[in-house]
Amino acid sequence: MRKTLYLKFILAYILFAFFGFFTVATFVSRLTYEYCLRQTSRELYHEATRIADTYAVDLYNSDISLETVQNQMESLSYFMDTEIWIINPSGRLIVNSADAPDPEKEVIVERFDPTVTQKNYYTRGKFFDSFEEDRLSVLAPIINNYKTRGYVIIHKSAAQIDENANSMLNISYMMLIVILLLSLIILIFFTEFVYKPLRKIIEATEQYASGNMHYELPVEGEDEMGYLAASLGYMAKTMATFEDDQKKFIANVSHDFRSPLTSIRGFLEAMLDGTIPPEMHEHYLGVVLNETDRLTKLTNSLLTLNNLNTKGMLLQMTDWNINDVIRKVAASFEQVCLRKEIRIRLILSGEILYVHADEEKIQQVLYNLVDNAIKFSSRQSEIEIETTEKGGKVFVSVRDNGIGIPKDDQNQIWERFYKSDHSRGKDKKGTGLGLSIVREIIRAHGENISLVSTPGAGSKFTFTLKRSELNDELDDDDPMYKDIIQDII
Ligand code: ADP
């Protein structure tokens, strides 16, 4: 099976060679022979008409002796390697360059018929049984006083013409052999640059299929094969890291579930065996409740992430007022903010700013970002949520004056379960899934989210959304649509 492609190429090459030889042996050979025949007969005819118009006419007009013509024809035929006849319409031979006719003895070509050439001026054959072997015979009429007095006939050995045609055909064969040898180069190129790399790629795919994702693919180069090999290698590497990621993910999930469960179990056991006195039960039940809250949050986040991944493209895209949603999200944090004395300031581009997006999911994004901003802000600080419009996009940013994110962590915070060491002390309940969810949602919308953060000074998360065309129908002069700054809490 594996050798099929190579065998096909070899077979194609053999077929090419076979048909090449077949064509030369049949078609080209016939064409060459016909070409030689026509070419020779044209030359002979030219010579025959010249003789008919000069020596032969002179002979019939008795301007020249038969002997002179005979001698001339003999030398001419010697040079041309032919046999020249002058013959009467009745078939009586008058001049024969090969054998001077005896004037006493009439030599007649039996059944001589000048129409033997049919439409042509030449014929091939034994010329009315005058020769043992085939001849090419060319006839030119001798016309004197508008009458055909006879014919000049030049005979040439057909074997000689065949020989000429054969030597021309040999050139065709030589050419064909050269072409076949040259096309061998193509076959060698194909083997080196296509077939061999392909074999290596197939071998690598077999290795990957059998689970050896770390197999190194030894194909290099700038061409399509190199690109294919590189893509395949990249795919294998991605799958290998995917496998590792999956193991890490399960380890993380198990760990995050186990620690609250262990602590719940510990407190409940301590309550049951009396280590925790009954008057402290209420306090520890509160702690247990807190832990169950954490488990619920973790489960919900995992479900959200899973749903986003499996049907991430299924967004309910509608046009809605982002400024209104921001106000609602901010208001939902009122109690937490009051406790931490945090102020949320909204800098919104008017009362109404329509975006085209999935409202529920963007609300989740806002919720996660504001939740983080509050979590990582110190008491009595301020959080700013801002909306602006630019080039068909709506920019939404959530800024805090909190602990900030170290440069080295800024790329990793988007990964699942990532919590910077820095923040661990501040947020024991965090799952490390919030920003992964945010990124998945923004990506599903085909939009971007960016982060600017300075440790100790604060962080600013900014994401884009598609601006809705409904905004164009709003009246810009209405005070409702002017920028507003509002301290919501
Ligand atoms: P978590 O549920 O732990 O907040 P996230 O995915 O939302 O998970 O955040 C991941 C990590 O990113 C957090 O643990 C924290 O280290 C860092 N982070 C996120 N938002 C902020 C912020 N506003 N200020 C400082 N650190 C932040």
Side-chain angles (χ1 to χ4, degrees):
M1 262 314 264
R2 267 217 228 138
K3 289 196 178 114
T4 319
L5 188 62
Y6 198 58
L7 279 182
K8 277 181 187 165
F9 255 80
I10 300 273
L11 195 72
Y13 185 75
I14 293 170
L15 277 179
F16 175 63
F18 173 76
F19 280 113
F21 277 107
F22 180 76
T23 315
V24 172
T26 55
F27 190 61
V28 178
S29 135
R30 214 182 62 228
L31 279 184
T32 311
Y33 173 74
E34 276 171 13
Y35 170 79
C36 284
L37 193 73
R38 227 174 300 126
Q39 190 68 14
T40 317
S41 58
R42 198 176 298 143
E43 277 165 23
L44 295 183
Y45 183 71
H46 181 73
E47 201 52 41
T49 44
R50 202 177 61 82
I51 295 169
D53 293 345
T54 53
Y55 296 109
V57 171
D58 289 351
L59 183 68
Y60 279 99
N61 288 339
S62 308
D63 291 343
I64 193 168
S65 74
L66 181 64
E67 207 179 5
T68 316
V69 176
Q70 175 67 34
N71 287 341
Q72 287 291 345
M73 292 307 112
E74 275 173 22
S75 51
L76 199 60
S77 69
Y78 176 75
F79 284 117
M80 286 171 64
D81 200 10
T82 52
E83 202 175 312
I84 305 174
W85 288 3
I86 294 177
I87 194 169
N88 271 354
S90 59
R92 198 185 138 214
L93 208 55
I94 297 172
V95 173
N96 179 355
S97 66
D99 182 15
D102 188 348
E104 307 295 308
K105 221 170 92 195
E106 259 193 0
V107 180
I108 297 209
V109 176
E110 297 292 340
R111 302 186 317 278
F112 171 68
D113 176 7
T115 61
V116 66
T117 58
Q118 292 175 339
K119 279 181 213 152
N120 284 324
Y121 43 79
Y122 62 87
T123 175
R124 187 191 159 132
K126 299 202 167 61
F127 205 75
F128 306 100
D129 293 330
S130 313
F131 300 99
E132 299 278 297
E133 284 162 1
D134 271 8
R135 292 281 190 276
L136 167 70
S137 308
V138 176
L139 269 82
I142 303 162
I143 300 187
N144 192 15
N145 289 335
Y146 309 107
K147 268 194 190 148
T148 304
R149 300 282 177 191
Y151 295 92
V152 172
I153 304 173
I154 304 182
H155 304 284
K156 192 171 177 83
S157 156
Q160 232 173 42
I161 294 166
D162 291 346
E163 215 172 280
N164 281 351
N166 283 340
S167 29
M168 274 178 84
L169 203 60
N170 281 345
I171 296 174
S172 302
Y173 277 117
M174 290 296 286
M175 287 300 293
L176 184 68
I177 289 169
V178 170
I179 289 171
L180 283 176
L181 286 178
L182 287 180
S183 50
L184 254 185
I185 296 174
I186 297 176
L187 200 69
I188 293 167
F189 262 79
F190 167 77
T191 313
E192 282 303 313
F193 298 110
V194 180
Y195 185 66
K196 281 189 182 169
L198 207 60
R199 284 287 302 269
K200 286 182 190 164
I201 289 172
I202 291 171
E203 204 176 304
T205 50
E206 281 169 355
Q207 288 287 337
Y208 296 149
S210 66
N212 179 12
M213 287 297 171
H214 296 283
Y215 179 81
E216 284 281 333
L217 222 178
V219 177
E220 281 164 15
E222 301 275 295
D223 56 8
E224 282 82 348
M225 282 295 164
Y227 184 69
L228 179 65
S231 309
L232 212 64
Y234 179 74
M235 189 197 76
K237 216 179 268 172
T238 317
M239 280 172 76
T241 48
F242 178 70
E243 226 170 275
D244 293 346
D245 280 355
Q246 223 170 10
K247 280 186 194 146
K248 223 160 61 188
F249 181 76
I250 291 173
N252 276 328
V253 174
S254 322
H255 174 264
D256 275 48
F257 271 98
R258 206 167 43 196
S259 40
L261 281 174
T262 316
S263 77
I264 291 171
R265 189 191 163 93
F267 289 128
L268 292 180
E269 270 175 359
M271 279 187 242
L272 276 179
D273 65 17
T275 320
I276 296 175
E279 62 272 19
M280 295 290 283
H281 278 191
E282 198 178 328
H283 169 73
Y284 284 102
L285 280 177
V287 176
V288 167
L289 201 64
N290 237 351
E291 291 295 281
T292 54
D293 270 355
R294 193 173 151 199
L295 282 175
T296 314
K297 195 174 164 197
L298 187 64
T299 318
N300 286 343
S301 298
L302 279 172
L303 282 175
T304 312
L305 253 185
N306 196 43
N307 283 346
L308 285 175
N309 280 346
T310 49
K311 32 182 192 167
M313 292 303 128
L314 291 179
L315 296 173
Q316 301 274 326
M317 300 295 278
T318 50
D319 296 291
W320 45 277
N321 180 3
I322 179 97
N323 288 351
D324 202 29
V325 171
I326 289 175
R327 260 190 292 270
K328 277 188 206 151
V329 171
S332 71
F333 285 97
E334 193 180 328
Q335 287 307 313
V336 202
C337 289
L338 285 175
R339 245 179 283 139
K340 278 185 95 173
E341 292 172 56
I342 288 175
R343 222 151 53 109
I344 297 187
R345 163 168 285 207
L346 306 183
I347 306 174
L348 306 176
S349 60
E351 286 288 334
I352 300 177
L353 176 58
Y354 287 117
V355 288
H356 186 68
D358 185 319
E359 183 172 351
E360 205 179 300
K361 297 211 167 64
I362 297 302
Q363 195 166 344
Q364 166 99 62
V365 168
L366 282 165
Y367 186 88
N368 288 6
L369 293 179
V370 178
D371 186 40
N372 279 347
I374 296 171
K375 268 192 314 199
F376 300 110
S377 284
S378 49
R379 294 183 71 83
Q380 294 180 334
S381 61
E382 191 178 89
I383 288 166
E384 230 173 60
I385 308 176
E386 190 178 1
T387 53
T388 42
E389 256 186 272
K390 207 170 168 188
K393 294 273 175 210
V394 168
F395 290 76
V396 183
S397 60
V398 177
R399 192 178 64 77
D400 63 61
N401 300 313
I403 60 170
I405 303 166
K407 264 255 155 330
D408 293 346
D409 288 347
Q410 287 184 11
N411 281 332
Q412 286 156 292
I413 53 164
W414 309 100
E415 286 168 19
R416 292 170 184 191
F417 294 109
Y418 187 81
K419 291 189 238 171
S420 76
D421 290 340
H422 199 53
S423 67
R424 271 180 208 275
K426 304 234 171 241
D427 172 40
K428 293 198 176 65
K429 273 198 191 173
T431 57
L433 292 173
L435 288 181
S436 316
I437 294 173
V438 164
R439 188 176 62 169
E440 293 290 340
I441 293 175
I442 297 296
R443 268 191 186 169
H445 278 79
E447 299 291 341
N448 289 311
I449 181 157
S450 63
L451 161 68
V452 181
S453 183
T454 316
S459 316
K460 184 178 177 184
F461 287 87
T462 307
F463 63 91
T464 56
L465 287 176
K466 191 172 180 276
R467 180 186 178 274
S468 158
E469 282 164 9
L470 284 184
N471 291 310
D472 300 336
E473 290 160 25
L474 301 176
D475 177 7
D476 285 347
D477 297 330
D478 191 320
M480 277 274 278
Y481 311 117
K482 293 275 180 251
D483 288 358
I484 45 170
I485 300 180
Q486 187 180 2
D487 291 335
I488 194 131
I489 297 155

